Amino acid sequence: MVRAGLEEGVVSRGIERGLLDVAIHDLRDHTTDRHRSVDDVPYGGGPGMVMKPEPLARAVETIRRERGTPDTVVLLSPQGRRFSQSEAERLSRVGHVVLLCGRYEGMDERVRTLVATEELSIGDYVLSGGELAALVIIDAVGRLIPGVVGDDQSVQEDSFSRGLLDYPHYTRPSEFEGLKVPDVLLSGHHAEVLRWRRRAALERTLARRPELLDVAALTDEERALLTEIRKEQEKKS
Ligand code: 4GX
């Protein structure tokens, strides 16, 4: 599943170009019983299975031996701290990251205390395994590694790297199904375009994700714009 997810896209080309390296480890290769079991019934009873601690501990031990001690060992689970753009930025500066993916209903608690050094969740929903969460993290972190995305500026100006939602984008044609591209974007007035985009990003963030404005790093000009937008919306309502 992880291999399939790494077969295409900007991050996979980064891997081909040697800008980052991703190794996949199958927990079943770190089992010792005939059935190569990675799960067992829960102590105390109840439904569902629990990931055994030994295969995970042995897999990380193998990684330590072959590639050195990782800088961080991340357990992926809905109980983790929420993964975000700032977490992606942090991980993009870490040299060696191990992502632990589990299946089933739970993970033996001793994996948390002995093997993992942190726990991350990609969102409040339940996946059938940690592999898709790992792919999400590899993608978000991978594209922040210098050179992976061709246009460095586009990464820096991304929605969220500034803590705001993105402004609306348009390309040709200038009119589609009766909807026109805003005149200012065709005007060639670069300063006006920038101002329109800043304002549009603030309007959108205020309308859809107002809580982001509490933590976004805004310039004095943006604070003034925001006050203006709020006043206009008061008038409308
Ligand atoms: N963000 N899952 C992990 C198995 C599991 C259960 C408990 C550790 C402890 C998820 C998420 C997620 C489902 C991956 C349960 N592992 N992972 N899996 N949301 O839902 O990261």
Side-chain angles (χ1 to χ4, degrees), residues 76-78 102-107 112 121-123 125-127 129-130 133:
L76 299 164
S77 100
R103 290 274 174 100
Y104 316 109
E105 285 59 43
M107 178 83 74
R112 282 197 177 87
S121 164
I122 64 160
Y125 36 77
V126 182
L127 302 170

Side-chain angles (χ1 to χ4, degrees), residues 9-228:
V10 81
V11 173
S12 94
R13 280 191 298 281
I15 296 170
E16 280 166 16
R17 287 153 61 215
L19 298 173
L20 70 155
D21 185 19
V22 180
I24 301 166
H25 301 262
D26 185 344
L27 291 177
R28 291 200 192 277
D29 295 339
H30 302 276
T31 53
T32 50
D33 66 311
R34 204 166 60 85
H35 297 105
R36 309 220 294 163
S37 325
V38 294
D39 63 324
D40 204 340
V41 295
Y43 272 121
M49 297 296 274
V50 176
M51 298 282 296
K52 292 165 64 60
E54 303 96 318
L56 282 149
R58 290 167 61 105
V60 174
E61 201 37 60
T62 301
I63 292 169
R64 243 186 258 289
R65 208 165 52 237
E66 291 177 353
R67 325 203 7 150
T69 300
D71 299 303
T72 187
V73 179
V74 182
L75 175 62
L76 299 164
S77 100
Q79 279 78 48
R81 183 169 74 245
R82 177 67 62 83
F83 181 67
S84 62
Q85 190 63 24
S86 56
E87 292 287 342
E89 280 161 18
R90 174 179 64 85
L91 289 176
S92 76
R93 292 188 289 265
V94 171
H96 183 185
V97 179
V98 170
L99 302 172
L100 301 179
C101 305
R103 290 274 174 100
Y104 316 109
E105 285 59 43
M107 178 83 74
D108 187 287
E109 190 61 20
R110 290 160 297 184
V111 172
R112 282 197 177 87
T113 41
L114 296 174
V115 186
T117 60
E118 56 178 310
E119 191 164 354
L120 290 176
S121 164
I122 64 160
D124 290 341
Y125 36 77
V126 182
L127 302 170
S128 57
E131 294 86 352
L132 285 174
L135 281 168
V136 165
I137 291 180
I138 292 166
D139 191 84
V141 171
R143 64 185 290 287
L144 295 177
I145 290 167
V148 168
V149 171
D151 184 354
D152 207 54
Q153 212 195 333
S154 80
V155 173
Q156 272 166 36
E157 287 178 9
D158 258 337
S159 163
F160 280 122
S161 63
R162 297 208 47 251
L164 294 178
L165 298 186
D166 213 354
Y167 52 78
H169 296 255
Y170 294 92
T171 186
R172 281 172 286 202
S174 65
E175 185 174 343
F176 176 68
E177 308 251 325
L179 292 182
K180 287 199 172 111
V181 174
D183 282 334
V184 59
L185 299 180
L186 309 173
S187 70
H189 265 289
H190 188 55
E192 291 276 315
V193 169
L194 291 184
R195 199 166 42 206
W196 182 87
R197 285 179 174 165
R198 271 199 290 273
R199 191 187 168 94
L202 287 167
E203 280 176 350
R204 249 193 190 175
T205 310
L206 183 63
R208 298 185 189 183
R209 299 288 306 279
E211 79 282 6
L212 293 179
L213 294 169
D214 301 336
V215 286
L218 300 182
T219 62
D220 288 346
E221 194 211 342
E222 285 168 331
R223 298 223 165 270
L225 260 174
L226 195 56
T227 309
E228 232 179 79

